[in-house]
Amino acid sequence: MEDGPTYGFDTLQIHAGSRPDPVTGARQTPIYQSTAYVFRDAEHAAALFNLQEVGYIYSRLTNPTVSVLQERIATLEGGVGGVCCSSGHAAQIMALFPLMSPGCNVIASTRLYGGTVTQFGQTIKRFGWSAKFVDFDDLDALENAIDKNTRAVFCEAIANPGGYITDLQSISSISDKAGLPLIVDNTTATPYLCRPIEYGATLVVHSTTKYMTGNGTVTGGCVVDSGKFDWSANQKFPSLSEPEPAYHGLRFHETFGALAFTFHGIAVGLRDLGMTMNPQAAHYTLMGLETLSLRMQRHSDNALQIASWLEEQETVENVTYAGLKSSPYFDRVKMFCPKGAGGLFTVALKGGYESCIKFVNALEIFSHVSNLGDSRSLVIHTASTTHRQLTEEQQIAAGSAPNVVRISIGIEDPRDLIADLKQALSAAK
Ligand SMILES: *Cc1c(COP(=O)(O)O)cnc(C)c1O
């Protein structure tokens, strides 16, 4: 199918990037379970290796099933290209890799998925990179944190564990002014609820493990490029603007224009870091994406109904769901994700840590797992699990204080979910 701007989201989530298999007529995208692809002749092989012709060489770089997924996600996000990888965390490294070198830093929001706080706060130091964490509601602090070694600004559209919506418009005007790319992790919103590129994001990263796949079967990630950033405007991004020594001196920006970042991601990033998505994972994610809009609307509608109910319960201290009128971020929902605030929020119980443990243990429909964005409802006590490695201050800054439980609302019947929460709240008293 030719992807025209005239097609709606519901059409694109099913058709973008795919067409009936030209050889067999197979209507569904086949799982191309093949490591390598036969060259027509030696000239064809040389053209592929020189990136003069686009085609398939070896599945660490490209695979036809994965390519369909890349194109579909890029289309849904309104970007020019996408690179799928083995997980959301891989996508984050793949997004930073062309931009950073030893001594460089990324300015990151304090409100991030706990795993990202650890990846950015600790692990990337091994590459000589560093992160400066800033409260993204304090625009002056963000502006002041940017220095001559800053190469990117990073935030989540709807921050995990929920309840916080980033003011993408203000953040992107600051990154624009500083000549820096803005990277937005859109995992919890998905392009159905929010399209960060429309608010000025340069790159969008995803953990496709979550809502994009939607059924808890495979891990995966994707980096989408808006194609709008001028990598040659200054000397900050030599890997894209100057001859790239890792690809025999190719100038990616000059050669590929708006697709420079995507080509670099495949030809250097996947080639040398090897964080490749496998075709089976791409298949499951393609299946999930076909119903993304239906699921996200139901996740959001269920979450709003359940968060409203929880807020009224006497043992509940508060509920942080941006879709609630009581949320300080309610107005940002109207602006950045008017269809709904997603399926993720936290609830704080008056009974504290012990009460949270009892609550989680008593739930029956909700599963206690370290995941989110499944069609099933999930729950986790973040302070004792995903955010365990953070200090108490970091836990509180990330919205994961010891008396907080993160809830990922599924697409089940909301009446059953409320009944389950009701019995677990009384067990937790
Ligand atoms: C889960 C998650 C990640 C990491 O993704 P993986 O697929 O688990 O590597 C990154 N960001 C957010 C917001 C997430 O929820």
Side-chain angles (χ1 to χ4, degrees):
M1 165 175 160
E2 295 297 312
D3 308 327
T6 49
Y7 291 118
F9 191 96
D10 290 347
T11 306
L12 294 171
Q13 72 186 359
I14 295 171
H15 292 285
S18 75
R19 59 199 175 98
D21 183 62
V23 177
T24 61
R27 187 61 195 86
Q28 191 48 277
T29 300
I31 303 170
Y32 287 91
Q33 198 68 58
S34 182
T35 308
Y37 308 85
V38 178
F39 305 124
R40 286 194 302 271
D41 51 36
E43 265 172 35
H44 178 222
L48 290 176
F49 275 90
N50 278 338
L51 301 179
Q52 286 157 335
E53 194 179 316
V54 179
Y56 299 99
I57 299 175
Y58 184 64
S59 284
R60 170 154 37 82
L61 308 173
T62 45
N63 168 280
T65 313
V66 178
S67 293
V68 172
L69 179 61
Q70 285 171 171
E71 193 174 331
R72 189 163 304 170
I73 296 175
T75 304
L76 295 177
E77 285 289 1
V80 295
V83 180
C84 282
C85 19
S86 51
S87 70
H89 265 10
Q92 293 173 184
I93 296 297
M94 287 281 293
L96 290 175
F97 178 65
L99 315 178
M100 306 281 277
S101 52
C104 291
N105 65 69
V106 50
I107 312 284
S109 170
T110 44
R111 297 179 186 84
L112 293 180
Y113 169 66
T116 306
V117 175
T118 308
Q119 187 188 46
F120 284 10
Q122 303 296 333
T123 303
I124 65 171
K125 288 187 202 159
R126 309 274 189 97
F127 307 144
W129 310 346
S130 61
K132 295 193 206 177
F133 292 97
V134 175
D135 176 355
F136 273 33
D137 278 346
D138 185 346
L139 300 177
D140 290 335
L142 169 59
E143 234 169 335
N144 292 334
I146 294 171
D147 64 31
K148 66 180 198 319
N149 294 320
T150 303
R151 292 295 178 272
V153 175
F154 187 100
C155 61
E156 293 175 12
I158 300 179
N160 182 348
Y164 178 80
I165 312 264
T166 305
D167 178 359
L168 294 175
Q169 203 120 48
S170 302
I171 303 300
S172 71
S173 61
I174 291 175
S175 60
D176 269 0
K177 211 172 93 191
L180 295 171
L182 171 64
I183 308 173
V184 178
D185 180 341
N186 202 27
T187 300
T188 54
T190 80
Y192 175 70
L193 296 177
C194 177
R195 304 217 308 165
I197 291 172
E198 288 172 5
Y199 305 106
T202 309
L203 303 171
V204 176
V205 293
H206 274 284
S207 166
T208 56
T209 314
K210 315 289 171 53
Y211 293 105
M212 300 287 260
T213 304
N215 46 42
T217 46
V218 287
T219 63
C222 189
V223 187
V224 175
D225 181 16
S226 64
K228 291 181 179 157
F229 196 85
D230 181 1
W231 305 108
S232 307
N234 52 45
Q235 307 296 305
K236 286 184 177 164
F237 306 102
S239 202
L240 294 158
S241 64
E242 302 297 314
E244 167 60 90
Y247 215 93
H248 51 71
L250 187 69
R251 289 173 179 265
F252 279 83
H253 194 203
E254 191 181 290
T255 312
F256 301 111
L259 282 167
F261 194 92
T262 302
F263 270 86
H264 192 283
I266 293 166
V268 182
L270 288 182
R271 187 197 63 185
D272 295 347
L273 302 178
M275 300 168 165
T276 310
M277 178 181 277
N278 68 74
Q280 285 281 346
H283 167 75
Y284 285 117
T285 304
L286 282 166
M287 295 298 95
L289 277 181
E290 295 191 350
T291 56
L292 182 67
S293 62
L294 309 176
R295 289 184 289 107
M296 290 315 291
Q297 195 60 60
R298 180 63 176 260
H299 280 296
S300 293
D301 295 348
N302 276 1
L304 179 59
Q305 191 179 334
I306 292 164
S308 306
W309 178 83
L310 274 170
E311 201 175 36
E312 300 300 315
Q313 306 310 303
E314 59 175 76
T315 52
V316 169
E317 189 177 288
N318 66 56
V319 180
T320 60
Y321 184 60
L324 293 174
K325 286 207 181 72
S326 59
S327 165
Y329 302 106
F330 185 69
D331 288 340
R332 289 190 189 166
V333 174
K334 279 186 257 164
M335 181 151 184
F336 298 108
C337 37
K339 292 199 220 67
L344 199 65
F345 59 82
T346 63
V347 52
L349 300 186
K350 287 180 185 156
Y353 190 98
E354 287 308 318
S355 198
C356 289
I357 301 279
K358 282 190 207 156
F359 174 67
V360 166
N361 282 338
L363 284 164
E364 281 166 10
I365 300 176
F366 287 78
S367 306
H368 187 202
V369 298
S370 158
N371 191 19
L372 62 93
D374 197 318
S375 49
R376 274 154 277 277
S377 289
L378 312 173
V379 66
I380 194 160
H381 182 228
T382 45
S384 61
T385 56
T386 50
H387 289 59
R388 195 185 183 93
Q389 277 148 39
L390 307 188
T391 64
E392 193 163 328
E393 275 131 61
Q394 285 176 315
Q395 286 177 349
I396 292 165
S400 292
N403 69 330
V404 166
V405 173
R406 182 184 78 193
I407 296 186
S408 173
I409 296 293
I411 57 176
E412 301 101 329
D413 187 328
R415 289 167 304 185
D416 295 336
L417 299 178
I418 289 177
D420 194 21
L421 291 164
K422 193 172 180 182
Q423 65 78 20
L425 279 179
S426 38
K429 265 186 199 154

